[in-house]
């Protein structure tokens, strides 16, 4: 068995897959790519879409965090992340879909809007896990990198504000859900809990995440103020992460 994970180290969708692989106790190799330069590599693997994460399991390629978790649960049934109970499974899948489509992009947009204004901080995050010279390349071409990322992910002051509101709505909803019961779907940890904690992980900077997190003094002022305001809800997800990661 050989599993390779093609990823951006900073990507919280890739963290979903790293966590799923670790939760199942599977051995794997990570291949960290530089955003932008990853396109040709991923398209050769998939024949089309250039998004990460992608896993290659003995020549079988699967793209997308949800699809990868589906594949891992089907291929390696031990330590399942998908509930066996129908109602719990439907709830888990519904949570995951909503979080993937709304909360994940919101965390990304809000964070990058502020961090892209600090090249010295964001460059090591983007280049994490890749050869050292990529930091130099990113620094030299940062104005272009900033332009491309903002265009590709539709990052601007308006979308950042909308993303902040989306994050707050989800944090409020998640806190209420966890107040009522310990798990989002069924009676045990599932892909729903994993998705919630993984996608918000950049906001609490967990140690298992393979990037050089910035020191508190380097975090943009707006983000720091927001984190202080939403610390109780973020700490709740951090506990889910710590208990199961």
């Amino acid at each position: 068995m050989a599993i390779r994970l093609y990823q951006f180290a900073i990507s919280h969708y890739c963290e979903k897959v790293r966590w799923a692989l670790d939760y199942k106790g599977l051995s794997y190799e990570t291949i960290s790519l530089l955003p932008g330069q990853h396109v040709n590599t991923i398209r050769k693997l998939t024949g089309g879409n250039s998004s990460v994460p992608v896993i290659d399991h003995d020549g079988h390629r699967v793209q997308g965090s949800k699809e990868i978790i589906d594949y891992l649960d089907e291929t390696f049934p031990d330590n399942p992340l998908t509930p066996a109970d129908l109602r719990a499974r439907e709830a888990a899948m519904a949570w995951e879909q909503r979080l993937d489509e709304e909360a994940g992009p919101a965390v990304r947009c809000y964070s990058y809007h502020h961090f892209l204004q600090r090249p010295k901080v964001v460059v090591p995050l983007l280049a994490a896990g890749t050869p050292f010279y990529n930091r130099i390349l990113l620094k030299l071409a940062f104005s272009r990198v900033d332009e491309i990322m903002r265009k590709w992910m539709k990052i601007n002051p308006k979308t950042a504000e909308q993303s902040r509101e989306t994050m707050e709505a989800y944090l409020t909803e998640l806190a209420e859900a966890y107040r009522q019961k310990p798990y989002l779907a069924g009676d045990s940890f599932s892909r729903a809990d994993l998705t919630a904690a993984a996608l918000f992980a950049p906001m609490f900077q967990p140690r298992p995440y393979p990037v050089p997190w910035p020191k508190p003094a380097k975090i943009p002022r707006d983000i720091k103020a927001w984190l202080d305001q939403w610390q109780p809800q973020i700490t709740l997800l951090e506990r889910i992460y710590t208990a199961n990661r």
Side-chain angles (χ1 to χ4, degrees), residues 175-187:
E176 176 60 23
Y178 282 121
R179 186 187 68 80
Q180 296 181 24
K181 57 182 183 177
Y183 303 106
L184 292 176
D187 299 323

Side-chain angles (χ1 to χ4, degrees), residues 153-166:
M153 291 185 278
K154 299 179 181 179
I155 301 172
N156 55 58
K158 181 179 180 179
T159 57
E161 179 64 15
Q162 292 170 342
S163 294
R164 179 188 63 77
E165 293 173 356
T166 298

Side-chain angles (χ1 to χ4, degrees), residues 135-152:
R135 292 192 182 190
I136 300 172
L137 293 175
L138 284 180
K139 288 178 182 178
L140 293 174
F142 190 78
S143 61
R144 180 60 175 158
V145 171
D146 177 58
E147 178 184 354
I148 292 172
M149 289 184 66
R150 288 184 179 277
K151 182 178 181 180
W152 175 50

Side-chain angles (χ1 to χ4, degrees), residues 74-91:
E74 180 180 348
T75 309
F76 306 100
D78 290 346
N79 300 323
L81 287 163
T82 306
D85 175 76
L86 178 59
R87 291 184 63 183
R89 181 165 67 250
E90 290 177 345

Side-chain angles (χ1 to χ4, degrees), residues 18-222:
R18 292 191 297 260
W19 188 351
L21 288 162
D22 290 336
Y23 187 81
K24 287 179 167 292
L26 300 173
S27 298
Y28 61 99
E29 175 189 2
T30 55
I31 300 171
S32 295
L33 304 170
L34 190 68
Q37 293 185 358
H38 75 288
V39 172
N40 288 338
T41 299
I42 298 301
R43 284 181 176 170
K44 286 180 181 178
L45 289 169
T46 65
N49 191 305
S50 62
S51 65
V52 294
V54 173
I55 64 165
D56 183 325
H57 176 216
D58 290 336
H60 182 78
R61 284 83 182 254
V62 185
Q63 185 174 37
S65 62
K66 174 187 177 298
E67 291 76 11
I68 291 172
I69 293 177
D70 288 342
Y71 176 78
L72 293 178
D73 265 351
E74 180 180 348
T75 309
F76 306 100
D78 290 346
N79 300 323
L81 287 163
T82 306
D85 175 76
L86 178 59
R87 291 184 63 183
R89 181 165 67 250
E90 290 177 345
M93 301 298 282
W95 268 111
E96 182 179 24
Q97 182 173 351
R98 290 180 58 216
L99 289 161
D100 276 351
E101 294 179 355
E102 299 176 12
V107 172
R108 183 175 60 198
C109 178
Y110 178 75
S111 300
Y112 277 135
H113 174 65
H114 294 287
F115 274 104
L116 285 171
Q117 300 173 44
R118 295 198 172 192
K120 290 183 179 180
V121 177
V122 77
V123 163
L125 299 177
L126 294 174
T130 71
F132 74 93
Y133 53 76
N134 280 330
R135 292 192 182 190
I136 300 172
L137 293 175
L138 284 180
K139 288 178 182 178
L140 293 174
F142 190 78
S143 61
R144 180 60 175 158
V145 171
D146 177 58
E147 178 184 354
I148 292 172
M149 289 184 66
R150 288 184 179 277
K151 182 178 181 180
W152 175 50
M153 291 185 278
K154 299 179 181 179
I155 301 172
N156 55 58
K158 181 179 180 179
T159 57
E161 179 64 15
Q162 292 170 342
S163 294
R164 179 188 63 77
E165 293 173 356
T166 298
M167 291 164 61
E168 292 174 358
Y170 269 97
L171 286 173
T172 300
E173 184 179 359
L174 287 166
E176 176 60 23
Y178 282 121
R179 186 187 68 80
Q180 296 181 24
K181 57 182 183 177
Y183 303 106
L184 292 176
D187 299 323
S188 61
F189 179 78
S190 74
R191 60 197 296 161
D193 306 291
L194 183 152
T195 299
L199 294 185
F200 276 98
M203 310 315 290
F204 54 83
Q205 300 184 359
R207 288 185 179 182
Y209 218 103
V211 300
W213 291 121
K215 295 180 180 179
K218 299 294 185 180
I219 296 174
R221 184 179 302 174
D222 287 350

